[in-house]
Amino acid sequence: MQLNWGKEVLHYTDEGTGDAVFFIHGLGGNANNWLHQRRALALHHRVIALDLPGHGRSSGMGVAFENYWAAAAAVLDHVGVECVSAVGLAMGARVGIALAGRRPDLARRLTLVNAYLTLPPLDHVRRVELYDLLRQPGGDREWARSLLEGMGVTGHAGIVRGFMASLAQIDPAHVNAVFHQVNRAEQEEGLRELDIPVQIMVGERDHLVPASCTEELLALARHPRLHRFPCSGHLPYLEEPSSFNLVLEEFLHDGTG
């Protein structure tokens, strides 16, 4: 499905019926990253997933990260959703925070998967160096290998193959540019002001998100719930989808909020 949004075309999926759940992928990803969740949750929920601007099949490489939430809100308004639980990975979690803050009428719950707002200084320098590999000729493959190692998923052959194959579908300069926009975004106060349940999911084998980042999220969120996946890295929804889906469903069906 698609929506004309200004000069851009946004592609999204809309499956199932029931309480709405909105999945938001990470940097360089797309709506198909959530296939395990879409198939499972659509049995009992209305499940919507978006290719963010400049990602997947959506146009909009010139759309700034700070406006990604508006694209998400436009899709939700277009499909007639009045209240939604948003689930976002990393950058997608940041979009979810912005969406919930700008459109509190839409946000019912928020799940943040391996997200961070502020990196410690040394981690910040290393992350910038990693993404700046994308500026170098042929640096995308070195970036991918280093990123997979940092995500702690090199033991999952299928994930590694899929990630390396996806390199042909991303624009390195665009991914680099959006990374720096996300890196500069200040969302601490935005998260602090959210008066909704916030689920924080952490893969303990993920080397990209230091423990201090999770502690910051827990300190800022008014109603936090923490779940750790001891056997997963950065992508628990792919590494152990059944466990991920169960934990998410329990949060969605909790009577509070």
Side-chain angles (χ1 to χ4, degrees):
M1 300 180 183
Q2 65 182 50
L3 168 67
N4 293 326
W5 181 59
K7 297 180 180 179
E8 312 301 343
V9 177
L10 302 175
H11 286 262
Y12 65 93
T13 63
D14 187 357
E15 304 153 293
T17 59
D19 292 341
V21 185
F22 183 50
F23 287 98
I24 315 172
H25 62 78
L27 178 57
N30 58 71
N32 285 338
N33 296 160
W34 301 102
L35 275 176
H36 290 299
Q37 288 65 48
R38 286 165 47 191
R39 290 168 178 166
L41 270 70
L43 298 175
H44 307 288
H45 298 271
R46 185 177 183 184
V47 179
I48 302 154
L50 166 68
D51 286 348
L52 288 167
H55 291 73
R57 295 183 297 158
S58 292
S59 66
M61 286 192 182
V63 177
F65 166 74
E66 65 182 15
N67 294 321
Y68 281 11
W69 74 269
V75 167
L76 294 174
D77 287 339
H78 176 70
V79 300
V81 168
E82 296 181 355
C83 192
V84 71
S85 296
V87 183
L89 167 72
M91 181 195 74
R94 306 282 295 268
V95 176
I97 293 171
L99 175 67
R102 296 297 191 99
R103 290 290 304 272
D105 57 305
L106 276 177
R108 175 175 175 264
R109 293 173 181 271
L110 179 61
T111 295
L112 311 177
V113 184
N114 285 320
Y116 74 87
L117 298 182
T118 308
L119 286 171
L122 183 57
D123 291 272
H124 178 268
V125 170
R126 289 172 175 169
R127 192 69 56 84
V128 169
E129 290 175 347
L130 172 62
Y131 275 84
D132 280 352
L133 287 172
L134 293 169
R135 295 180 175 178
Q136 302 176 11
D140 56 338
R141 298 196 71 81
E142 183 179 351
W143 165 80
R145 286 191 291 269
S146 298
L147 187 60
L148 285 165
E149 183 176 348
M151 290 193 294
V153 299
T154 52
H156 295 265
I159 293 176
V160 172
R161 284 196 303 271
F163 191 88
M164 296 304 291
S166 72
L167 289 181
Q169 302 169 3
I170 68 170
D171 184 304
H174 176 245
V175 171
N176 175 267
V178 176
F179 163 76
H180 283 285
Q181 292 172 24
V182 176
N183 203 35
R184 290 191 297 267
E186 297 182 359
Q187 293 185 284
E188 291 82 2
E189 286 305 311
L191 178 57
R192 193 194 307 274
E193 292 173 359
L194 298 184
D195 193 18
I196 57 175
V198 175
Q199 182 182 44
I200 299 167
M201 292 190 180
V202 177
E204 293 191 343
R205 296 183 179 180
D206 179 17
H207 307 300
L208 296 180
V209 182
S212 63
C213 296
T214 301
E215 292 168 2
E216 180 184 33
L217 296 177
L218 289 169
L220 290 172
R222 294 189 188 182
H223 312 289
R225 321 280 182 85
L226 174 65
H227 185 87
R228 299 183 183 275
F229 293 92
C231 299
S232 282
H234 193 67
L235 308 174
Y237 63 96
L238 292 178
E239 296 169 77
E240 43 183 322
S242 296
S243 296
F244 181 95
N245 294 348
L246 178 61
V247 172
L248 177 59
E249 285 270 25
E250 289 175 347
F251 177 66
L252 297 177
H253 293 290
D254 188 331
T256 62

